[in-house]
Amino acid sequence: MIERDFFIYNSLSMEKIAIQGTTGSYHDIAAHQYFNGQDIQLLCCGKFEDIFTNMKKDGKLVGMLAIENTIAGSLLQNYELVRQSDTQIIGEYKLRISHCFVCLPDEDWNDITEVNSHPIALMQCREFLNQHPDIKVVEGEDTARSAQLIKENNLKGHAAICSKAAAQEYGMKILQEGIETNKHNFTRFLVIVDGWQADEYRRRKSVNKASMVFSLPHTEGSLSQVLSILSFYNINLTKIQSIPIIGREWEYLFYVDVVFNDYVRYKQSINAISPLTKELKTLGEYEEAKSSL
């Protein structure tokens, strides 16, 4: 893991943020934009699990992790990591993802024989890669880390797919920008803290969104009853994601995001659906994010 300090003038307070990936990664960009105007210190982690491990060691550490992408879909593993932890979601950020094709400064298109990046980034650039069938595609652990390794090891003939910020951070040449297939490519990130800190953070912003998880009895119409009650209380369901419960055939956990205008009505709806659900857990209450440009 790598620790790095970032200093921004006119700061409000110092926040220490655990992210997956390294400097120049999309997690790095999202953290800086979400905490715009504050001094932040990044704790860069190799795996998403490391974020939660470090948060257990340091109760004041804030975590930021991707939860879904408009093209690749949901990161089911991260839903489970949040559910199994003692953390609470206190915010979200939607980041426009734009990929660059980069290489060493003294190389060009004719030199490239291999491209490295995170598998999701490679998938998001499939149309571009199909236009270059002679370039070998190799999966890596992180977009920015792929660029960093090429530069540090002077890997001739290697290119990376990463952000423009990562290319600038590691002194790489940008051969082409905006290579993602879908230009409406956004990733939603969750901001999480230890449960005992959640109320303090929520006071800083308005609350109009909540995430929860529950299971249901294996009976006909159990889900529709829950959805009908939410509708009755004017609670807008923005996402529902089902995940099989290991060891319990044909039973599922339902991860649900809702938005609301009336906090009292929202709490009443939770009380109303509780008797119909099993293992209901509120993962966080926070302010709905708008998509960044």
Side-chain angles (χ1 to χ4, degrees):
M1 282 174 290
I2 308 166
E3 288 197 35
R4 177 163 181 169
D5 291 329
F6 293 82
F7 297 97
I8 304 175
Y9 292 105
N10 300 320
S11 63
L12 299 174
S13 62
M14 170 69 77
E15 296 282 6
K16 190 172 183 180
I17 318 296
I19 64 168
Q20 186 275 326
T22 189
T23 310
S25 67
Y26 293 105
H27 278 81
D28 173 4
I29 297 169
H32 275 84
Q33 292 186 9
Y34 181 83
F35 290 99
N36 184 35
Q38 294 178 251
D39 289 349
I40 69 172
Q41 181 184 41
L42 290 187
L43 177 62
C44 299
C45 303
K47 299 180 297 182
F48 286 113
E49 291 89 342
D50 296 336
I51 294 175
F52 294 87
T53 299
N54 282 286
M55 290 182 71
K56 285 184 178 180
K57 296 177 182 177
D58 182 355
K60 294 185 178 180
L61 189 62
V62 178
M64 193 154 198
L65 69 160
I67 197 66
E68 66 175 322
N69 176 265
T70 52
I71 299 172
S74 300
L75 282 73
L76 301 184
Q77 170 200 15
N78 289 353
Y79 276 105
E80 283 293 270
L81 288 172
V82 174
R83 181 182 69 86
Q84 294 169 5
S85 72
D86 295 322
T87 64
Q88 281 277 297
I89 304 167
I90 53 90
E92 66 175 3
Y93 192 76
K94 297 174 183 176
L95 178 68
R96 166 76 165 86
I97 304 296
S98 182
H99 297 300
C100 296
F101 190 74
V102 308
C103 66
L104 291 171
D106 58 347
E107 294 200 311
D108 216 318
W109 284 101
N110 294 333
D111 302 304
I112 305 304
T113 59
E114 180 176 310
V115 58
N116 312 115
S117 195
H118 189 278
I120 291 181
L122 294 170
M123 184 197 72
Q124 293 171 351
C125 301
R126 182 57 54 194
E127 186 175 295
F128 167 83
L129 293 172
N130 287 341
Q131 296 170 3
H132 302 278
D134 295 334
I135 298 178
K136 181 182 178 181
V137 177
V138 179
E139 294 183 356
E141 66 179 32
D142 180 57
T143 53
R145 179 68 172 154
S146 296
Q148 182 183 27
L149 289 173
I150 291 172
K151 185 61 184 296
E152 289 181 349
N153 296 288
N154 197 34
L155 298 178
K156 300 290 186 179
H158 286 241
I161 290 176
C162 62
S163 68
K164 185 175 183 179
Q168 295 171 340
E169 175 72 25
Y170 300 112
M172 299 287 281
K173 177 196 279 187
I174 298 176
L175 294 177
Q176 188 169 331
E177 294 185 42
I179 64 171
E180 64 279 1
T181 302
N182 190 318
K183 305 309 176 185
H184 298 281
N185 183 12
F186 287 84
T187 293
R188 183 166 72 101
F189 296 82
L190 298 180
V191 186
I192 57 175
V193 298
D194 194 279
W196 67 271
Q197 288 201 87
D199 287 343
E200 176 187 345
Y201 279 89
R202 288 192 189 110
R203 282 194 290 268
R204 303 179 187 179
K205 295 189 176 183
S206 60
V207 171
N208 67 342
K209 186 172 183 178
S211 297
M212 65 191 81
V213 59
F214 53 81
S215 60
L216 292 169
H218 193 47
T219 56
E220 184 176 347
S222 57
L223 179 59
S224 63
Q225 286 181 314
V226 170
L227 300 182
S228 294
I229 291 173
L230 293 176
S231 176
F232 173 80
Y233 283 94
N234 297 321
I235 307 301
N236 183 25
L237 183 73
T238 60
K239 182 178 178 64
I240 183 167
Q241 177 76 52
S242 63
I243 299 178
I245 301 175
I246 305 300
R248 289 159 58 179
E249 292 81 3
W250 317 122
E251 291 191 47
Y252 299 86
L253 286 172
F254 294 92
Y255 286 86
V256 173
D257 289 344
V258 298
V259 294
F260 46 86
N261 296 318
D262 188 325
Y263 186 79
V264 173
R265 293 278 286 177
Y266 152 70
K267 295 299 285 187
Q268 289 172 339
S269 74
I270 299 302
N271 291 334
I273 67 171
S274 293
L276 304 176
T277 65
K278 298 190 295 184
E279 306 168 83
L280 175 64
K281 181 180 181 180
T282 300
L283 302 175
E285 299 170 356
Y286 49 97
E287 183 177 22
E288 183 182 22
K290 296 179 181 179
S291 297
S292 65
L293 298 179

